[in-house]
Amino acid sequence: MAGVEAGRREQQLYHLKNLHVKTILKESHCSPVQQLVFNTIDEDKENLFATVGGNQATIYDDQHFGKYVDVVAQFVNEATEYAKGGELLTCCWLSSKETKEEFGDALLAVAGRDNCVSVISVVSSRVIALLKGHTKPVVDLCACAAKPGLVASVSKDGTVRVWDYLQERCVRVLEADATCAAFRPDGSGLVTGNSAGQLHFWALPADPPADGKRKRASAEGCPAAHVKKSEGAAVLKGASKESAHSAAIDCIRHLAGGRLATKSVDGKLFLWNAASMERQLALKVPGCPPGQQPSLFGASPSGAFLAAGNANGDLYVYDTDSGERLCHCKPGRVSAPVRAAAINEECTHLLAVYGQGFVWRYEFIPPQEEKEVEVKEEAAAEEGESKDKMEEDA
């Protein structure tokens, strides 16, 4: 078994060394893509990834069309009698274990400036749940595979709400001025990050209240060196100034092996032991000046690799065990910020969003095939120059 894993890792590293831009998508909304995320919550649907930008959410198939990317579904957040519609700022995949579709489904939650959370069925191409309660825009969403019916939303109204979307009701309200959040893998709690670079842990009861009333979450005990009580939550800070984020946290991900990855807008990317909150690894994504807009990192389904970008358009892949930078991709002359990045498990596809609605896919191309492409491009260029010269002579 160890030999198989070693062989797989060697193959992944080989792929990372031979990534090249092959596919560029231009979304019709012509505005910045705010989020890009693979479906890692359903193991049999990891081929799907979703983006949100403008008032649109687009779902793509990254795997089943050879060298091409295909649009599976698209949702436009238009005004209706139920919601005012508008720009979408975030999305997350939900577990489809509770789906009523006979042959299965994939579920995507989206939210933004209309203060609502919409749950979309990919199979039926419609909104199957609309969650209302926030009074300001929703900036982040997260879900948990262990709790298929739950989704959490982070809003600028100073609250994080936990919803039972199957019953379209809010079951918990956390008074947290948060910027992002992530469920613990077992669904026992939430981790939130804020604009001051602090992490809060919130314990959630095992089951939603039977009476349907919203209840406030309680704080969870943490190592004394890390705890400061504040508004019912444990505010986690590092034992020293260097071990804590000093800028707004823009992304949190739980990884396999009981690890937690957090990133702040200044490019600091930390990996923690999720149980003890001891920092295991500290990374710095270069080219992330203070005050930069959020740039969301992506993790492979196994958590072995992290993909993150910077303000100059550079894209990096890191090993989550050693912290080694394994790959650096730059999109030619483009210098727009990377707003979000994602990577598949085999490391054959690395995705990033740039500019006004552009999605770039870096793909593994074997060295021999890359040489053949270069030869063809050079031959085509020489042929073009020859034709130009003939026309000038004529």
Side-chain angles (χ1 to χ4, degrees):
M1 192 65 181
V4 173
E5 288 299 320
R8 185 184 189 190
R9 179 170 177 77
E10 184 177 344
Q11 191 70 23
Q12 289 169 325
L13 296 178
Y14 177 66
H15 293 161
L16 288 172
K17 292 178 181 178
N18 294 280
L19 291 176
H20 305 274
V21 176
K22 191 71 179 291
T23 303
I24 300 176
L25 307 173
K26 179 69 169 71
E27 297 192 339
S28 61
H29 52 78
C30 298
S31 58
V33 175
Q34 304 289 348
Q35 175 84 296
L36 181 153
V37 61
F38 271 109
N39 185 351
T40 58
I41 202 166
D42 289 327
E43 293 182 359
D44 60 338
K45 301 180 182 70
E46 293 179 355
N47 58 298
L48 299 177
F49 73 88
T51 63
V52 291
N55 68 341
Q56 299 177 13
T58 309
I59 298 168
Y60 299 91
D61 188 331
D62 182 60
Q63 180 179 326
H64 294 135
F65 292 87
K67 297 180 180 181
Y68 302 96
V69 179
D70 190 50
V71 175
V72 176
Q74 189 174 67
F75 167 72
V76 180
N77 194 32
E78 296 179 322
T80 68
E81 60 182 300
Y82 306 105
K84 63 182 181 180
E87 184 182 10
L88 296 173
L89 302 175
T90 182
C91 67
C92 79
W93 291 98
L94 307 179
S95 172
S96 61
K97 291 180 181 178
E98 302 294 331
T99 181
K100 296 179 181 179
E101 295 289 341
E102 182 180 358
F103 300 106
D105 201 351
L107 303 176
L108 183 73
V110 300
R113 297 196 183 280
D114 64 356
N115 311 339
C116 301
V117 180
S118 300
V119 178
I120 304 165
S121 162
V122 174
V123 169
S124 60
S125 297
R126 65 185 181 90
V127 174
I128 60 172
L130 184 63
L131 311 175
K132 296 182 177 182
H134 285 297
T135 58
K136 290 186 178 181
V138 177
V139 296
D140 194 32
L141 294 169
C142 64
C144 177
K147 302 286 185 179
L150 296 186
V151 61
S153 55
V154 178
S155 173
K156 290 186 176 181
D157 63 11
T159 67
V160 176
R161 289 175 176 255
V162 181
W163 307 85
D164 179 344
Y165 69 84
L166 297 173
Q167 300 185 38
E168 292 189 76
R169 64 189 179 99
C170 179
V171 295
R172 294 287 182 275
V173 177
L174 286 63
E175 295 177 3
D177 188 15
T179 53
C180 55
F183 273 101
R184 282 192 163 183
D186 62 358
S188 64
L190 276 171
V191 185
T192 62
N194 66 17
S195 58
Q198 299 168 328
L199 296 171
H200 294 63
F201 272 40
W202 302 82
L204 299 175
D207 297 301
D211 59 10
K213 294 180 180 179
R214 300 190 299 268
K215 295 184 178 180
R216 182 173 172 174
S218 61
E220 178 178 332
C222 300
H226 299 274
V227 176
K228 173 185 173 185
K229 295 294 181 181
S230 172
E231 294 300 320
V235 182
L236 301 187
K237 290 187 176 181
S240 65
K241 183 178 180 181
E242 290 73 27
S243 63
H245 286 287
S246 55
I249 298 174
D250 57 8
C251 196
I252 302 175
R253 300 275 189 269
H254 273 285
L255 308 180
R259 296 176 297 170
L260 181 72
T262 62
K263 179 188 167 294
S264 48
V265 294
D266 58 0
K268 291 182 180 179
L269 207 166
F270 297 158
L271 270 72
W272 311 79
N273 179 307
S276 65
M277 281 311 294
E278 293 181 1
R279 199 179 73 182
Q280 298 178 327
L281 201 62
L283 306 173
K284 179 67 169 73
V285 181
C288 296
Q292 181 189 340
Q293 66 185 19
S295 180
L296 310 181
F297 70 86
S300 61
S302 67
F305 306 99
L306 295 181
N310 68 13
N312 304 317
D314 297 283
L315 195 58
Y316 303 96
V317 177
Y318 295 91
D319 184 316
T320 59
D321 287 328
S322 66
E324 180 184 358
R325 186 188 299 167
L326 302 172
C327 177
H328 174 202
C329 295
K330 187 171 178 61
R333 298 177 182 178
V334 176
S335 60
V338 177
R339 287 183 173 269
I343 187 169
N344 70 349
E345 183 61 32
E346 299 305 320
C347 300
T348 52
H349 291 165
L350 178 63
L351 287 81
V353 291
Y354 300 93
Q356 302 298 306
F358 289 96
V359 181
W360 289 54
R361 187 171 76 168
Y362 298 84
E363 304 172 26
F364 165 68
I365 301 177
Q368 182 57 39
E369 184 177 328
E370 178 66 16
K371 289 180 180 178
E372 292 175 358
V373 171
E374 291 177 355
V375 169
K376 289 180 180 179
E377 289 178 347
E378 290 176 1
E382 290 177 359
E383 183 178 353
E385 292 176 359
S386 177
K387 286 183 178 179
D388 290 342
K389 189 174 187 306
M390 291 175 63
E391 290 176 359
E392 289 177 1
D393 293 341

